[in-house]
Structure formats: structure tokens, C-alpha cells
Amino acid sequence: MKPLLRAVNLSKTFGTLPAVQQVSLEVYPGEVVGLAGASGSGKSALFMLLAGLYVPTGGDIYFEGRRLQCPFRARALGIEIIHQTPDLAERLDVTSNIFLGNEIGWPLVSKWLKVPNRRRMDKEAARILAQLDVHFDSLHEKVTNLSSEQRQLIAIARAMIRPAKLIIIDDPTLLLSYSFQQKLLSLIQAWQSQGTAVIFSSNNLDHLLAVTDRIIVLRQGRQIAEYRTDEAGREEIVAAMVGTTDRQQLTPIIWALDSYYRAREQAEKLRQSQLLLERDLASQDTLKRQLIDRLAEQINALDSANAALQDAQRRLLTELEQERKHLAREIHDQVIQDLLSVNYRLEELETGEVVTPALGAELADIRNTIRVLVDDLRHICGNLRPPTIDSLGLGAALQSYTHDWANRTGISVTLDLDANLGRLPEAIELSIFRIVQEGLSNVRKHARASTVQIGLRHTSPRTLMISIADDGQGLPDGFDLSTLSAKGHYGLLGISERVALLGGRLKLQNQAGGGLLIQAEIQHPRVAQSGGG
Amino acid sequence: MVYPEPLQRVWRALIGRHEVVVFTLVLVISAFLSLRTDTFFTWSNLSNISRAFSWIAIAAFGESMVIIIGGIDLSVGAVMALAGLISALCLQHGFPEPLAVIAGILTGGLVGWVNGTMVGRVRLPPFIVTLGTMSITRGIAFGLTGGWPVRNLPQGFRALGQYDLRVGFMSLPLPVIFMLGLAFLTGLLMSKTVLGSYIYTLASSERALLVSGVNVMQIKALVYTLCGVLTATGGVLMTARLGVAAPTAALGYELDIIAAAVIGGTSLSGGEGSILGVLLGAAVMQMLRTGLVLLGFSAYWQTATLGTMILAFILLDHWRRQS
């Protein structure tokens, strides 16, 4: 497939300040390319070049194989641009701004002598704004009087009035509230499914991870790295963005951070202290330098050990699951079948002529014991490896498990599953199943609850929120996760480890009305939506 | 005195419309001159005044479009002279009259296009560009004729400026009919079409147009070209009326034309103005000129009065923006 847009060695210098240096990129139809970088990394300047508004100092831009003469009118080529801050015509109203440059009217032949058809434009504008879930009191209101968010939404609506080949989006989320940010993300996915290419920059790494196919990292105007989103780790991207090459050094910190913003802040601080340290070092005597070097080596060794430990634990869990699967199969296919065949032979004996009534009663008793044994073994198998998870998926496995659990414990369970859950990778499905299993086991042992609510919902297309809420006694005062293992309680600890290994976030809190709420947010790679769920 | 609320609203809306202010001014000046002189309120005088401001008004339609996009065209006076001269020279060389008129108008269009391209594409300041083309155009007019006027223009051509159309008891000069026709067309262009909307938007939101994919350079070039075409039309009508094409014709008319636009409510900051306002502005200006003559003032005072009027209306515009 030929690239839709190709930029070759693109550079832009303002005076002596290089804003973009030798950036080359290709975007294919139906592909979403993310652009990550700290502020001042040259993202916006690159966007202005790709939008045809800046003339590059060096390099070329090709669109559909044709070399473009800069500056160019992007919209005439089928390129729509959504800027960080919207450029609107202040004296015009909402509708006129949405249709600016694309007015509907008569005669059709002349673009400039056209008399705009206000009614049709208003109708069309209302339709597009409804798609964005935004409402204006009047479409005839001048945009000067509107809020920044409303103005940004008008700029987004402008990009939607006709099908585009490429949509360039320069982090408009700064001006948007959470719900509209999510709306924009789902719009990007809709555009992608229609075959439109999208270049999307955002300061929020979660947004990039949620919708892009590839992520290009810029730093100080240079193209530092490129990742396939499904294979990229958050820490890798952040490391590229902030310029720390030593991944081992960054990993444990990133692990602890629950958002990109904090990661960036911390990394900046680290870099600054590193700089200060280096400056200090230059003026220090050799002995001190040696000491610090040794300290740094030890820290590095510790970091490696830490990373190795995490790897080992991940492997251990996988092997444990494999082992459980194997064991469950052994018991099911071998032991249970053998027991059933013994039962059958006993039944034959029981109906035989040589059996006395006393022996018959004894045999019936033995057969009853075997049945109970088989039931118990089946239950153990189910715990070792949920039987439905491989064939019918997580949703069915959870339904079956919670139903059995409720019958067994007498605690009522409500299960709220996302309609678009689909099939996730095996490891993730199993982990989620285990998290719910551990959570329920925790409820049974400690909570003294009468009802449990389990929820499994997508908070973004690639983020899943697992919540387990009970109406029991909640966490005791002064609860500390790290002291649990000393007391031999591994339930909540197991959940927290599983969530950490999946790169997710865990929140434990007492609810206002009593009871514990466990929330785990887990990212998962893009998966095909199966029709059956 | 307190008026009821709806009346106050109508009053405020009327005061808010610049055209109403200028129209009132036209009425006041007419009333004053009718009372002070016997000759002002005669049909022939009114017909002469309207004929005399018709070419200024036609050029001012173009000038106001240029000012609305945030520019200025100082070459209008020289373009009027050159356009008339080119038409006259064509006639002298035996060209048929329609062709000669078209040649004159195209000359104006060409100068306008050069202005527009320099301002739009090369991004030079319009003041400097049009000051340059003013000089060049006037220089060509002198160069072509060696400084001498072209006389003996054919009757058919002169009729364009001198013929009066009789409608009932009134006789309407042909240039006035052209002016009204062009006012209608440019008014339609500015108020109804997409181009008109872009022209009003350009001064304040050029970047918004740019990112919306509107070819701003082309609009600028087109507006200056239209200004050139309209100004040249005025120039040809003026030459037809005078019956002689002099390279010195329309000297200093740029001031009159800009004054007509500004008095008519065209804001020098761009983005505001109307063709009806410009028409009334041109009328006010010509009435002032004629009035001063009728009242017995020396012609030298006319320029000073005109300058004062321009300043007064710029001040008015400034205060209105501040409030």
C-alpha cells in the first residue's frame, strides 16, 4: 500500500532556533499515528508544516504521491486540521464558522458568488453538533460570546462536515472536558474505520495508547523513536520523551506512577537532579566521585534485580496457570473417569444375582460416596481452571462462577458485564477471572457481607475497569496492604500483584454506605470484537 | 423626556446605523443650502451634483471593499485618469467605442491586479504598494500623451457621460444610472454572497479563513482588481462627461474617494462598511463642495473642509468602537 502522506527530512527553523529537525514520517490510509513529546518538542511546529501553514526550511511533503508546494491549502487536498486553540472568525456565528470555506448554497458552479443557504446549513450543523453531543442555545450566536470548549467543539465540527482523507489533530483535549475527550477518541476510531488517516498528538499518553496504531516520539524537534502501540510500554515511551536512555533506571519509578503527568514531572526532576549531580561531581574530589559511582552501580544492580524479580513473578504466575490447567485436565480426564467407571462396575454388581440385601445396601452407600467424591473433584477442577473460560470466554466463565459461588455461600451476587467485552488475550482473561475469584474469596472470609456487586466496564476503548463492591464491614482503620503477607493473608495482595503485573492501577476504599470497594483498571491491547460477546 | 421602551429601541437601532446618520446629514445640508441660496434646490443643480459625484461614488464602492479587507488604495485617482486616457487614445486610433471603453476598464483592472498581487502574494504593506502604483500610473498617463490632453472625442463616447435619460418629468444623467446599477450589484455581492462574507471577515480573522482553506491571497487580489475595475469605470464616465482626457485629470481624487468611503461608514480598521453608506457619503461630499461654492467660499477651502470631515468621521468611528 502506498503512503497517503509522506514527509521527508522535514525541518523548520525560527531565526536560529530549530523547531523541527529532519523529521520523516509516513501515514497510510486508515491508520492512526500518534505524536508524543513534551511541550516544546516541536509537535505543533510539525503540525503547522503538515497543515501547509508553514514553509519548511528543508525537506519535502508528499500527499498521495504528489510533492506539495509549501505553503499549501490543506483542505483543498482533503486534509482537515484541528488545532490546539481553535481559529474562528469572530464576527460570524456558529453555523457560518462550521461551514467556513465549505458553504452550501446556490449557484453551485461558483464558489465565491454562491448565496449561502442558511436553512440547509443550520440543519446540517445541528446534525453534526448532535453527533458530538453538544447543544447551543442558538446557532446564530456569534462565536466571540462562546466558551473555549464550545469554540473547540465548533472547530471539531468543521472537520466533520465532509469526508476527509487525512485529519490532523493537534492536542485539542486541553480545552475539552473529560466526556468530550472520550467523544473525540471514539470519533478518531470511527474515522479510522471509515479509512481516514489520522495524525493525533496529545499530552495525555493514555489517549495515544487508546487509539493509535503507531506512536512517534519527538524530543527537541527531533524524531527520537517510533513504536507500534500494541507492543509499546508506557515506560518506554516516557523514557524516549524525557530522554533517559537507561530503562532499568526508569522502570521502577514508572511502575509506581499512576499517570503520565506525574511520570513526566518526576522524570524532569530526575533529569534536573542528575544535571545538578553531574555539575557537582565536576567540582568534587575523586574519592567522592568513586563513592557515588559505586552507589550508582548498586542502584543499577538493585533495579536489575527488581526487574528480574518482576519478570520471574510474571513467569511464575503463567506457569502456575499452566500447571493448574494441566492438573484440572488430569483430574477431569483421568481420575473422574476412573471413578465413574468404578461406579458403573459397582452398579453392575449391585444388580447381579449373587448380591445379598446387606451387601446391596453397602454397595449403594459406596456408590453414593463416589458420586459425592466426583462432585467435589469437579468443583476442584472448576477452581483450578474455569471450564468455560477457554471455550466461551471471560463473561460466561464469570457468570457461571458467580452463580455457583452465590449458591454455595448464600451471599447474593450481581454481575454487570460490558456489552462490548469481546475476547481478550488468554493471560488477561485469566488474570481478571482470578482477581474476581480472589475478591469473592476475600468477601467470604472477612467481609461479613450479604450482597456483592461485580462490574466489568470499559472506561476507554482499551481500558477495562473491574469493580467489586460489598456491603460488609469494609477495611479496618489503619489498613496497610504491605503488612498482610506477614499475617498470612494473601487475597488482596494477590489482586494487587496481578494488577501491577498487567500494568494497571488498583484502588481499595471503604464506601460511604459501608463495605469495601475494590477497583482495578487494566489496559489491554486492541482485540477483534466478536459478535457473540 | 422618557420614551416608551419599544420607541427607545427603534431610536437606538436607528442611531446605531451609520447610514441613518449620513442620510440625516444629507437632509440637514440640503435644508441649510436650500434656505441660504436660491439655486441649490433646482432640478438642474441636483442633477449636476449627482452626476458629479457619480464617478467618485463608483470608485468609492471599490475603495470601500479594499478598506473593509483592511487595506487602502491610493492609486485610484491616477487609475481614473489613465483609464479615461486609454479609452480616449483607443478612440483616437479608430477603435470602436465599446472596445475603447473596455480597454480603459481593463487598464484599471490590471493596475488593481498588480496592487492585489503585491499585497496578497508578496505581503507588502498596501499603503506603500499603492503609493508606488499611483506614481507609476500617473507617470504613464503623462508619458503616453507628453503631458497634453486628448481632445475631439466622438459624440457616441461623450454621450456616456453627458446624456440624460428622461423618466417622466425627471431627467436622470446616464452616469447616475450606472452608479445606481453598480451600487445594486456591489451591494448584492457584499451582503448576499460568500465572497462578501469573506471580505467582511478578512480584516479581523484572516487566520481563520486561512485554516478553513479559503484562498486569502486570491481574495485580496480579486478585491484590489475589482477596485481597479470600478475606479476605471468611474474614470471612463468622467472622461466622457468632460469630453477631454487629460493626464492631470482626477488629481487628488484619492482623498475624495477615501473620504466618501469613510464618511459613508467604512471603518479604516476594516470589517465594517456598506455600499449604501458609501453612496450617501459621496453625496455628502459633493454637496459640501457645491455648497461651499454657492455660499461664496473660495475653492481653496474645499480641501480643508473635506479633510476636517474625514477626521470627524474617523473620530466618530473610533468612539463607536470604544463604546
Side-chain angles (χ1 to χ4, degrees):
Chain A
M1 190 161 46
K2 282 186 180 167
L4 182 71
L5 177 96
R6 191 157 70 91
V8 184
N9 293 333
L10 222 48
S11 300
K12 176 73 185 173
T13 309
F14 296 104
T16 54
L17 182 79
V20 177
Q21 301 181 66
Q22 303 274 323
V23 173
S24 297
L25 58 93
E26 287 182 349
V27 184
Y28 293 86
E31 190 187 29
V32 182
V33 175
L35 218 56
S39 37
S41 60
K43 284 181 296 177
S44 289
L46 178 62
F47 274 120
M48 296 299 266
L49 287 170
L50 296 179
L53 294 169
Y54 282 173
V55 180
T57 322
D60 292 311
I61 302 173
Y62 297 84
F63 190 74
E64 293 183 314
R66 200 161 54 89
R67 186 171 166 272
L68 299 179
Q69 195 72 43
C70 296
F72 53 88
R73 284 186 305 125
R75 282 192 109 191
L77 300 165
I79 303 175
E80 293 288 341
I81 303 129
I82 301 170
H83 290 273
Q84 212 166 38
T85 45
D87 280 308
L88 302 183
E90 302 298 334
R91 63 182 299 281
L92 298 182
D93 62 15
V94 176
T95 302
S96 303
N97 264 292
I98 291 177
F99 280 91
L100 193 61
N102 274 303
E103 291 79 359
I104 304 174
W106 185 89
L108 299 170
V109 279
S110 163
K111 58 176 177 177
W112 284 353
L113 294 181
K114 209 179 262 180
V115 179
N117 184 339
R118 282 294 314 205
R119 262 178 51 192
R120 260 192 69 193
M121 277 162 52
D122 281 344
K123 214 172 134 190
E124 193 65 11
R127 187 184 65 77
I128 292 165
L129 291 172
Q131 272 182 40
L132 280 171
D133 290 335
V134 56
H135 173 77
F136 288 103
D137 291 337
S138 164
L139 291 176
H140 297 181
E141 183 156 4
K142 282 196 177 165
V143 293
T144 311
N145 308 326
L146 300 177
S147 72
S148 306
E149 181 174 69
Q150 286 173 316
R151 291 163 64 88
Q152 188 62 280
L153 289 166
I154 291 174
I156 295 173
R158 187 193 287 170
M160 292 168 65
I161 58 163
R162 56 175 196 177
K165 293 175 186 162
L166 171 68
I167 302 179
I168 297 177
I169 307 171
D170 183 11
D171 201 4
T173 52
L174 290 174
L175 299 178
L176 297 180
S177 57
Y178 179 77
S179 59
F180 285 120
Q181 291 180 10
Q182 296 303 312
K183 189 83 212 168
L184 181 70
L185 294 183
S186 52
L187 268 177
I188 291 175
Q189 288 183 316
W191 287 329
Q192 184 187 27
S193 64
Q194 289 158 13
T196 305
V198 178
I199 306 179
F200 175 42
S201 107
S202 175
N203 269 333
N204 191 334
L205 208 52
D206 284 342
H207 290 170
L208 293 181
L209 289 170
V211 294
T212 58
D213 298 305
R214 276 188 292 141
I215 296 178
I216 294 172
V217 179
L218 291 185
R219 192 173 73 237
Q220 291 166 353
R222 286 185 186 282
Q223 191 172 351
I224 296 300
E226 185 175 332
Y227 303 99
R228 294 215 65 80
T229 309
D230 286 348
E231 295 158 7
R234 181 189 296 262
E235 64 271 34
E236 260 181 297
I237 300 173
V238 176
M241 280 165 67
V242 296
T244 307
T245 46
D246 187 355
R247 184 159 167 255
Q248 296 294 342
Q249 198 179 345
L250 207 68
T251 312
I253 303 167
I254 299 294
W255 211 262
L257 297 178
D258 56 6
S259 79
Y260 154 67
Y261 292 105
R262 275 181 58 194
R264 194 175 65 174
E265 206 175 293
Q266 294 286 340
E268 280 294 338
K269 277 185 196 157
L270 257 178
R271 210 154 66 113
Q272 270 173 8
S273 19
Q274 201 180 346
L275 272 176
L276 282 175
L277 206 65
E278 277 169 11
R279 219 172 285 163
D280 261 12
L281 273 175
S283 61
Q284 295 292 339
D285 57 293
T286 357
L287 185 67
K288 275 185 182 167
R289 196 179 300 173
Q290 277 172 353
L291 272 173
I292 289 171
D293 279 351
R294 203 172 301 160
L295 200 66
E297 269 170 32
Q298 280 176 356
I299 290 174
N300 274 341
L302 263 175
D303 287 344
S304 311
N306 193 9
L309 254 173
Q310 275 168 356
D311 266 358
Q313 196 182 355
R314 209 174 288 137
R315 255 201 327 273
L316 207 66
L317 268 182
T318 318
E319 276 167 15
L320 189 67
E321 287 297 345
Q322 287 302 328
E323 196 59 39
R324 282 177 163 184
K325 191 175 176 180
H326 179 71
L327 202 60
R329 197 166 290 158
E330 281 286 306
I331 294 174
H332 184 268
D333 295 352
Q334 199 64 48
V335 181
I336 292 182
Q337 298 314 317
D338 288 352
L339 276 174
L340 286 174
S341 101
V342 169
N343 189 32
Y344 179 70
R345 281 171 58 195
L346 285 177
E347 196 180 346
E348 273 183 329
L349 275 180
E350 201 180 333
T351 51
E353 289 167 4
V354 286
V355 175
T356 63
L359 191 58
E362 186 70 15
L363 282 176
D365 196 29
I366 293 173
R367 279 183 51 217
N368 203 29
T369 313
I370 291 175
R371 251 198 308 280
V372 173
L373 211 56
V374 168
D375 277 350
D376 282 351
L377 281 175
R378 282 210 172 114
H379 179 65
I380 289 170
C381 280
N383 270 342
L384 282 173
R385 177 79 176 185
T388 38
I389 201 160
D390 294 321
S391 50
L392 296 175
L394 178 64
L398 282 178
Q399 269 167 352
S400 151
Y401 181 76
T402 50
H403 179 75
D404 281 354
W405 188 86
N407 283 341
R408 225 172 38 244
T409 59
I411 301 172
S412 96
V413 181
T414 346
L415 183 63
D416 174 27
L417 288 178
D418 196 311
N420 295 321
L421 191 58
R423 288 304 304 259
L424 305 171
E426 187 191 352
I428 291 182
E429 285 199 331
L430 261 178
S431 290
I432 294 172
F433 185 85
R434 294 289 180 220
I435 287 169
V436 173
Q437 216 174 9
E438 301 266 24
L440 285 178
S441 152
N442 190 58
V443 169
R444 187 175 56 80
K445 285 183 192 158
H446 309 292
R448 294 188 201 149
S450 61
T451 59
V452 186
Q453 288 181 318
I454 298 173
L456 213 60
R457 293 236 148 255
H458 273 109
T459 50
S460 85
R462 285 192 222 168
T463 317
L464 201 61
M465 170 75 89
I466 306 149
S467 59
I468 304 169
D470 63 56
D471 62 349
Q473 58 185 5
L475 294 172
D477 288 339
F479 169 79
D480 186 359
L481 200 63
S482 57
T483 59
L484 285 180
S485 65
K487 296 176 191 162
H489 302 313
Y490 296 106
L492 289 179
L493 210 58
I495 293 179
S496 105
E497 277 171 4
R498 280 186 191 277
V499 173
L501 287 175
L502 289 174
R505 293 170 217 168
L506 179 71
K507 206 162 92 182
L508 301 172
Q509 64 179 58
N510 283 332
Q511 299 183 91
L516 172 65
L517 171 66
I518 303 174
Q519 285 182 312
E521 201 172 22
I522 285 173
Q523 294 224 335
H524 59 77
R526 187 194 303 262
V527 283
Q529 293 285 318
S530 66
Chain B
M1 190 169 172
V2 181
Y3 295 100
E5 180 64 23
L7 261 181
Q8 274 189 13
R9 246 203 324 258
V10 172
W11 175 243
R12 242 181 269 137
L14 281 178
I15 284 288
R17 282 200 71 85
H18 189 88
E19 290 87 343
V20 177
V21 176
V22 189
F23 186 65
T24 315
L25 199 63
V26 171
L27 292 183
V28 169
I29 297 173
S30 306
F32 180 75
L33 290 175
S34 307
L35 290 175
R36 291 294 298 270
T37 63
D38 302 328
T39 44
F40 180 79
F41 208 70
T42 58
W43 184 255
S44 73
N45 186 45
L46 291 179
S47 164
N48 274 334
I49 288 178
S50 56
R51 190 201 309 271
F53 79 73
S54 61
W55 41 82
I56 299 280
I58 292 172
F61 297 157
E63 182 75 68
S64 74
M65 284 161 80
V66 170
I67 296 176
I68 287 171
I69 65 164
I72 191 92
D73 189 350
L74 299 178
S75 69
V76 279
V79 167
M80 281 178 90
L82 184 67
L85 200 67
I86 293 288
S87 289
L89 284 174
C90 285
L91 289 169
Q92 226 179 25
H93 286 83
F95 282 78
E97 280 131 8
L99 222 60
V101 169
I102 289 171
I105 291 175
L106 283 184
T107 310
L110 182 71
V111 178
W113 180 80
V114 171
N115 284 336
T117 308
M118 291 289 199
V119 173
R121 204 168 284 273
V122 192
R123 293 175 180 275
L124 294 178
F127 189 90
I128 304 298
V129 170
T130 54
L131 195 68
T133 44
M134 172 173 95
S135 214
I136 295 168
T137 313
R138 186 68 76 179
I140 292 173
F142 275 107
L144 283 177
T145 56
W148 294 99
V150 179
R151 295 174 194 283
N152 302 326
L153 301 176
Q155 177 58 39
F157 177 73
R158 279 186 289 149
L160 272 181
Q162 295 171 358
Y163 185 73
D164 287 2
L165 202 69
R166 294 209 74 83
V167 183
F169 69 97
M170 297 184 296
S171 64
L172 278 174
L174 213 48
V176 174
I177 293 172
F178 280 124
M179 173 186 76
L180 292 176
L182 286 171
F184 179 73
L185 286 179
T186 33
L188 221 56
L189 178 89
M190 293 293 280
S191 61
K192 295 289 175 208
T193 65
V194 168
L195 178 63
S197 155
Y198 290 166
I199 288 174
Y200 279 114
T201 310
L202 193 75
S204 60
S205 309
E206 183 168 344
R207 216 183 117 88
L209 287 176
L210 216 61
V211 300
S212 302
V214 176
N215 195 335
V216 173
M217 285 191 295
Q218 227 172 43
I219 291 184
K220 283 186 180 170
L222 182 69
V223 167
Y224 277 91
T225 309
L226 271 177
C227 177
V229 166
L230 286 167
T231 308
T233 310
V236 171
L237 287 176
M238 178 187 71
T239 310
R241 164 66 183 163
L242 299 176
V244 54
T248 50
L251 207 59
Y253 267 31
E254 45 284 333
L255 186 70
D256 293 43
I257 291 166
I258 293 170
V262 171
I263 293 171
T266 309
S267 167
L268 282 174
S269 331
E272 271 174 50
S274 75
I275 297 300
L276 177 65
V278 174
L279 194 71
L280 291 169
V284 166
M285 229 180 45
Q286 192 57 39
M287 280 163 76
L288 269 182
R289 274 189 191 281
T290 316
L292 287 173
V293 175
L294 290 179
L295 289 172
F297 284 94
S298 135
Y300 300 121
W301 287 106
Q302 286 180 12
T303 318
T305 317
L306 214 62
T308 314
M309 282 292 280
I310 295 180
L311 268 185
F313 273 88
I314 291 175
L315 269 178
L316 187 71
D317 177 51
H318 180 69
W319 285 332
R320 222 172 12 198
R321 273 173 187 279
Q322 278 193 330
S323 67

